[in-house]
Amino acid sequence: MTKEEILALRNEPWRDELRKKMSPKDRGALERVKMPELTPDYRVKTFTEEVQQGLTKEMAVAEAQRCLDCADPSCMKGCPVGINIPTFVKQIENEDFEGAIATIKKTSSLPAVCGRVCPQEKQCEGNCIKLKMKQKPVAIGYLERFAADYERESGKMKAPECAAKNGKKVCTVGSGPSALAFAADMIKLGYDVTVFEALHEIGGVLKYGIPEFRLPNSVVDAEIDTLRKMGVNFQPNTIIGKTISYEQLHEMGFDGIFVGSGAGLPRFMNIPGENLIGVMSSNEYLTRINLMGAGRGQGADTPVLKGKNVVVCGGGNTAMDSARTAKRMGAETVTLVYRRGLDELPARAEEVHHAMEEGIDFHVLHNPIEYHADENGRVKEAVLQVMELGEPDASGRRSPVAIEGKTETIPADLVIVAIGVSPNPIIPTNFKGLEISKKGTIVVGEETMQSAVSDVFAGGDIVRGGATVILAMGDGRKAAGAMDEYLKK
Amino acid sequence: MNKIVAKEHFSENVVRLEIEAPLIAKSRKAGHFVIVKVGEKGERIPLTISAANVEKGTIDLVVQRVGVSSCKLTDLNVGDYVTDVVGPLGRATEIEKFGTVLACGGGVGVAPLLPIVEAMKKAGNRVVTILAARSKDLIILEDEMRKWSDEVIIMTDDGSYGEKGNVTVGMEKAIAKEKIDKSIVIGPTIMMKFASLTTKKYEIPTVASLNTIMVDGTGMCGACRVTVDGKTKFVCVDGPEFDAHKIDFDEVMTRMRAYKPQETEALAAYNSK
């Protein structure tokens, strides 16, 4: 969106009037809303009830009043999909909730998801002008979620309008956030869109990875249903590169392919004892519970190990999700082991806060170096190296350095390794002609997301190696725009 | 949803299912497997494809009743649908003209061995096949194996059919008789371990096909990891076949027992229904 377009919307009479209703000083004096939450004691006993309960109408309107409606909104610069933030916030203040969601949906296809899982403190809210005024930023994430939930709960979810069919067929490999964002934009532009998914469920990491207490499946399904209503065709249990080859996709008439196959391979640390029973990747642990329903008392056939003393290795959102899931599975102790300090945790601030409230023990400046087994080959304890912070490394964070000879051994009958993932190798090894980086990611043009194979575009973790839902969605949108240009030629 | 078009009992607990899966039938090669799930709350289990019919658009799976999921699958009948079938997964078997190939199948492992024997024969190899099982009624696919093998040796633990003894007895005999250039072993992990030790003595290059616990089967979870040549590998994307002389079979056997208590309990509950 250009500066002029942003200003034109800001200059509409209703908005001018709304701005004048309250002085910037009075707006600045308002307290940032507190999101109602389930108490830690209650929520560690439930898998499906969301920790954060959402804002009421009154709360949302009051929070929207805090926004100064800047002429040059810095918040928008922090949004990877370029949502017109001040417009939708002011629509909420004006109690035009339908208008607010329509504004968001112009550029974001998964608002209820993003309102819940985006790291707003690093994006829109991190760029809010109020921070410079020593005030708390507008709770943009909460407001986005409010608008999306309001629409869904009203039962009047509107499918955005689509252009007339242009006769061209495109498909996605995967059904996670980048693929869904791509599909949404392409169906709007008039393409025939098929989403191929390897698993039996649509949604990718939104389903197998992020737990329901943070992102309920019903919320994800509602967003997918909207895409279905818009005409997107979903095909689960299909692995592109295996079930259907690149050449077969062409025989089937697909003119463009978007690869959003995600970060498939979990990383391990390659330390002694890592293949013992009871040591597993966060992907395995979360997939068993979230996707397969293991251990949730719902009659699922898939088993899962329930630890008494659970150790989670890592400091990202997935580590937080694993630790908090283990707590809900009935673990007596859950210890999160992270090699850097608390300030360096890469997880969203809110997830760290919630995990602490739920009684997760943060064992920072420790790093696992070995696991010991009982007589049955099951893990029984973890040996941790004690670390200290040294000089800043390439990432700008102070690097962890081992304190020679200082270790600690803690009991562990379940160890969940959440130290990151590598790109899924199936497309890189089965599509000929792609340029693949040393890390195994697909190399694409930065602006076009186009790969070395001209009709193959890619985005999300298969390109970035590991990122966030919203960055993946941004890639999907960019790829859609560029593929549209490419196919029009 | 994939329809079952034929069902055949090889023995009380071993069943062949022919399932509609046209895309998989077309793209599969010897050595590939599929992931199958029965029911909305079912478990995802890996099964190696034993045959495919491209014209009919079907694949064959030979399934032994072991736990709840294999029981649920084999309790299905012709006309029923398998909820989810996805594949083909894994790397295909390396097929080339090696010379003389010794193919060893134990129990239900004979089924995934069949397409490999066929492909090896078609690639111009002399194929000596050993079929091993506890007793006569557990020897499967003998006629099909004879069709693609130059020689078939049958071994039973109780001597009720063929010769008495386990697979390694037959292997020693075959190795004594002629020069073997390549060996393939598929069967229970313990059988593959000892078969592999046998060929190692004679320095015969050998591959074993592992059938570990998996969830997604596409490299995402790592439940299937094994140590091969001191390095961690994923059976689903790096395998399922590996250099048998470098596999840590003891670790494979330990990891196969990861959910034993839960599996035993679940099976008892299923059988009491």
Side-chain angles (χ1 to χ4, degrees), chain A residues 260-323:
Chain A
S261 52
L265 297 179
R267 275 193 218 130
F268 287 92
M269 297 171 75
N270 297 315
I271 57 175
E274 212 170 23
N275 287 349
L276 295 173
I277 299 176
V279 183
M280 66 179 77
S281 71
S282 49
N283 264 6
E284 178 180 353
Y285 185 67
L286 293 173
T287 299
R288 283 178 181 275
I289 295 165
N290 296 340
L291 183 74
M292 307 308 296
R296 292 170 58 170
Q298 298 165 346
D301 289 341
T302 303
V304 67
L305 296 175
K306 293 187 185 183
K308 256 190 202 148
N309 299 300
V310 180
V311 168
V312 177
C313 312
N317 288 324
T318 312
M320 301 303 147
D321 287 344
S322 303

Side-chain angles (χ1 to χ4, degrees), chain B residues 8-49:
Chain B
E8 178 185 357
H9 273 269
F10 284 159
S11 69
E12 194 189 337
N13 286 320
V14 179
V15 174
R16 180 184 73 93
L17 295 171
E18 188 179 349
I19 301 169
E20 271 180 5
L23 290 171
I24 301 173
K26 210 163 143 187
S27 48
R28 73 96 213 190
K29 291 195 176 80
H32 279 145
F33 66 94
V34 289
I35 291 266
V36 171
K37 174 172 156 286
V38 180
E40 283 312 312
K41 291 172 180 179
E43 184 183 15
R44 295 170 66 98
I45 56 167
L47 292 164
T48 308
I49 302 165

Side-chain angles (χ1 to χ4, degrees), chain A residues 299-355:
Chain A
D301 289 341
T302 303
V304 67
L305 296 175
K306 293 187 185 183
K308 256 190 202 148
N309 299 300
V310 180
V311 168
V312 177
C313 312
N317 288 324
T318 312
M320 301 303 147
D321 287 344
S322 303
R324 298 171 69 195
T325 298
K327 197 81 193 177
R328 285 161 175 77
M329 294 294 289
E332 284 168 19
T333 70
V334 181
T335 308
L336 189 123
V337 177
Y338 179 57
R339 62 199 180 117
R340 300 179 200 245
L342 273 184
D343 291 339
E344 284 78 27
L345 283 169
R348 283 176 89 211
E350 204 157 53
E351 308 311 325
V352 176
H353 170 71
H354 284 145

Side-chain angles (χ1 to χ4, degrees), chain A residues 348-369:
Chain A
R348 283 176 89 211
E350 204 157 53
E351 308 311 325
V352 176
H353 170 71
H354 284 145
M356 284 179 172
E357 278 186 342
E358 289 169 14
I360 309 299
D361 178 17
F362 280 69
H363 230 56
V364 295
L365 292 170
H366 283 74
N367 196 32
I369 49 170

